[in-house]
C-alpha cells in the first residue's frame, strides 16, 4: 500500500481499458493499483528521481515528470530517462498532442519531444514567464499556465505563444486545466476561471468553492472536480 503520510502529487488512469490507476508521489515515486485503489504497489524500477510532480498516460505509455526530468515506461515495464535536451530540469506538467509530448518546466518554459525524435527542443518564444505549471492540448491548440504570468496560447505546436489574460488578475498562478466541450477551465490561486472563446475572455466561477486555492481539475461527464490546497475536493455540474 501507499507509504504513511504519502504526498500525492498526481494521478493517471490507463486509457487502454484495463482499469489501472497510477499515483505520483512527491518523494516516493510512482505506485500502481489494478483494483480501483484498494491496493497499491510501488512501480519504481529504473525511476531515477522519485520526486514526481506530474503523470501522463498516453496509450500504453506512462510518463513521469520529476524534479530530475522525464521518465517513460512502455507497456508497464521499467522506467527509463528521456532527458536528451532537457538537462534534467524540474518538470511541472506534461501533455501529449498530435503525437508530440510537451513538458512545462520550472524556469525553462516549454519543451517539445516531436514524433520520431529522441531529443527535446525548447519552444518558448513569447512566454514572458518560464515557470510553466500546467499545460493543456485541445483540438490542436496548446495552453500554458504559469507561476505568476497567467495563461498563454499557441496554435503552432508551441513555436510561439501569446498571452490570453483578459479579465484575469494581473499576477496569476495557474495550477491546472480541464476541458469540457468549448469550455476551458483554469484552476488558480484565486479559484476557477472559464473561457469559451479560447481565452479571449475569462469569467470567474467560484460560487460554492470554499477554498479558492485550486490545485487540480478533472472532468467526468458533466461533472467538474476541483482539488484545493486546504479544503479538499469540490464538485460542480457543468451547464
Amino acid at each position: 500500500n501507499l507509504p504513511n503520510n504519502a504526498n500525492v502529487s498526481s494521478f493517471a488512469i490507463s486509457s487502454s481499458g484495463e482499469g489501472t490507476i497510477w499515483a505520483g508521489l512527491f518523494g516516493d515515486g510512482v505506485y500502481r493499483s489494478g483494483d480501483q485503489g484498494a491496493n497499491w504497489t510501488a512501480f519504481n524500477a529504473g525511476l531515477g528521481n522519485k520526486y514526481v510532480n506530474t503523470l501522463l498516460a498516453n496509450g500504453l505509455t506512462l510518463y513521469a515528470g520529476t524534479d530530475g526530468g522525464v521518465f517513460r515506461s512502455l507497456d508497464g515495464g521499467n522506467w527509463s530517462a528521456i532527458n536528451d535536451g532537457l538537462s534534467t530540469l524540474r518538470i511541472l506538467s506534461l501533455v501529449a498532442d498530435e503525437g508530440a509530448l510537451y513538458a512545462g518546466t520550472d524556469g525553462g518554459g516549454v519543451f517539445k519531444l516531436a514524433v520520431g525524435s529522441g531529443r527535446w527542443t525548447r519552444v518558448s518564444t513569447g512566454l514572458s514567464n518560464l515557470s510553466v505549471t500546467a499545460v493543456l492540448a485541445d483540438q490542436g491548440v496548446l495552453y500554458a499556465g504559469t507561476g505568476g504570468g497567467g495563461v498563454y496560447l499557441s496554435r503552432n505546436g508551441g513555436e510561439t505563444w501569446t498571452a490570453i489574460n483578459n479579465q484575469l488578475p494581473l499576477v496569476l498562478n495557474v495550477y491546472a486545466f480541464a476541458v469540457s466541450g468549448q469550455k476551458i477551465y483554469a484552476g488558480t490561486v484565486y479559484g476557477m476561471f472559464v473561457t469559451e472563446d479560447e481565452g479571449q475572455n475569462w469569467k470567474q466561477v467560484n460560487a460554492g468553492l470554499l477554498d479558492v486555492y485550486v490545485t487540480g481539475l478533472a472532468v467526468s461527464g458533466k461533472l467538474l472536480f476541483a482539488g484545493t490546497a486546504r479544503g479538499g475536493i469540490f464538485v460542480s455540474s457543468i451547464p
Side-chain angles (χ1 to χ4, degrees):
N1 286 324
L2 295 177
N4 292 333
N5 302 315
N7 184 349
V8 180
S9 61
S10 54
F11 290 102
I13 300 175
S14 171
S15 58
S16 59
E18 80 273 19
T20 301
I21 303 172
W22 292 276
L25 279 60
F26 193 72
D28 290 297
V30 178
Y31 278 69
R32 177 171 55 189
S33 175
D35 54 11
Q36 299 182 325
N39 296 282
W40 296 89
T41 56
F43 180 52
N44 291 326
L47 189 66
N49 190 298
K50 293 184 179 180
Y51 288 85
V52 177
N53 300 303
T54 183
L55 290 175
L56 171 67
N58 187 26
L60 295 175
T61 304
L62 182 67
Y63 298 92
T66 77
D67 274 8
V70 178
F71 293 81
R72 176 176 60 194
S73 173
L74 302 172
D75 300 326
N78 293 348
W79 294 96
S80 60
I82 50 169
N83 289 324
D84 189 9
L86 270 179
S87 301
T88 62
L89 286 167
R90 185 171 185 242
I91 309 301
L92 303 179
S93 49
L94 290 169
V95 73
D97 184 54
E98 297 180 344
L101 189 67
Y102 296 87
T105 72
D106 184 10
V110 177
F111 284 75
K112 178 180 182 178
L113 186 66
V115 180
S117 172
R119 182 175 176 83
W120 294 87
T121 57
R122 191 166 178 261
V123 286
S124 297
T125 300
L127 281 176
S128 59
N129 187 297
L130 298 178
S131 176
V132 179
T133 47
V135 283
L136 172 72
D138 181 50
Q139 301 180 21
V141 180
L142 296 172
Y143 298 83
T146 66
V151 183
Y152 293 77
L153 176 147
S154 175
R155 297 185 182 277
N156 55 7
E159 294 299 328
T160 56
W161 297 86
T162 303
I164 50 169
N165 290 320
N166 290 336
Q167 292 94 44
L168 291 179
L170 184 61
V171 178
L172 183 65
N173 292 359
V174 180
Y175 297 110
F177 289 116
V179 60
S180 175
Q182 295 298 312
K183 295 181 172 68
I184 302 292
Y185 293 92
T188 81
V189 70
Y190 296 125
M192 194 87 65
F193 293 85
V194 64
T195 179
E196 296 186 61
D197 54 13
E198 296 184 342
Q200 298 307 303
N201 297 279
W202 292 91
K203 178 183 178 182
Q204 194 171 35
V205 283
N206 282 347
L209 199 62
L210 302 182
D211 180 2
V212 296
Y213 199 133
V214 177
T215 55
L217 293 176
V219 168
S220 177
K222 281 295 183 179
L223 295 178
L224 175 66
F225 294 85
T228 64
R230 294 171 295 272
I233 298 173
F234 294 81
V235 63
S236 174
S237 295
I238 299 173

